[in-house]
Amino acid sequence: TKKTQYLMLLQDWLIGMALLIFSHIIMIMIFEISDAIVEALSISMGGGIKWEIIKQMGGSFDSTTQVIALILYHWVNWLVIVFAIAYFKRFFWTCILVVFAPVMAIMYAFGQQTKQIYSNWLKEFALNAFVQPFHLIVYTVLVTFPMEIANGNNWTWSWNNGTEMIYC
């Protein structure tokens, strides 16, 4: 029984040391997968909504359309600032998780509760890394697709197409 207990402790220590050695490789792989998803999605999206608003605003001679496009442009700029702050917070939290990675790996060897702590840390780290691809997918579905639908039907920014404008 003591021999079994010592073998389990030795096994936990070996796993903890392996996690300590390979935790940075695990983190790099998570970052690389996240970057590959973001790269693939950003290539498929094209120019972006701000460029579309500027093109529509410059191409219209209707003052109402220009005012609406200007308001939308400033709204998008405000969202860029808000999301930049949110991403800075996420970046800071991810840096903290990276700093504590060796501590979490070593704590794995100290029993069942600390194994759960490492598991929670790894989930939190992976979720932080995959927030950006998720946001990009949501942005694509909620913003880019309606813009593509509107532009594909030779739609113009005017109040003549009020329901389409509200939808877009």
Side-chain angles (χ1 to χ4, degrees), residues 97-128:
L97 289 173
V98 168
V99 167
F100 282 110
V103 175
M104 297 299 162
I106 290 173
M107 286 180 63
Y108 185 88
F110 290 116
Q112 193 63 29
Q113 288 180 332
T114 54
K115 290 178 185 177
Q116 186 65 33
I117 290 171
Y118 181 78
S119 175
N120 290 341
W121 172 86
L122 188 59
K123 287 177 191 174
E124 179 76 22
F125 182 79
L127 286 175
N128 264 336

Side-chain angles (χ1 to χ4, degrees), residues 2-145:
K2 280 192 171 190
K3 186 177 181 181
T4 307
Q5 185 181 12
Y6 287 130
L7 283 175
M8 289 181 68
L9 286 173
L10 181 63
Q11 180 183 2
D12 287 345
W13 275 98
L14 289 175
I15 292 172
M17 288 301 125
L19 287 174
L20 178 64
I21 293 169
F22 294 112
S23 65
H24 292 87
I25 295 172
I26 293 169
M27 289 186 292
I28 289 171
M29 287 183 357
I30 289 172
F31 281 139
E32 290 296 324
I33 291 170
S34 175
D35 284 344
I37 293 171
V38 167
E39 181 88 16
L41 288 173
S42 64
I43 287 173
S44 69
M45 280 181 30
I49 189 168
K50 286 175 73 172
W51 182 246
E52 290 296 325
I53 292 172
I54 291 171
K55 284 195 311 190
Q56 293 294 336
M57 190 170 52
S60 174
F61 296 109
D62 182 19
S63 63
T64 307
T65 304
Q66 288 183 344
V67 168
I68 292 168
L70 187 65
I71 291 169
L72 288 174
Y73 180 75
H74 286 298
W75 176 252
V76 170
N77 282 336
W78 171 252
L79 289 178
V80 166
I81 293 168
V82 169
F83 281 117
I85 293 169
Y87 274 96
F88 180 75
K89 286 189 229 177
R90 187 180 65 87
F91 170 74
F92 185 71
W93 181 245
T94 303
C95 288
I96 290 172
L97 289 173
V98 168
V99 167
F100 282 110
V103 175
M104 297 299 162
I106 290 173
M107 286 180 63
Y108 185 88
F110 290 116
Q112 193 63 29
Q113 288 180 332
T114 54
K115 290 178 185 177
Q116 186 65 33
I117 290 171
Y118 181 78
S119 175
N120 290 341
W121 172 86
L122 188 59
K123 287 177 191 174
E124 179 76 22
F125 182 79
L127 286 175
N128 264 336
F130 288 113
V131 162
Q132 187 174 6
F134 176 73
H135 283 172
L136 197 55
I137 290 170
V138 170
Y139 174 80
T140 302
V141 170
L142 295 178
V143 175
T144 306
F145 286 164

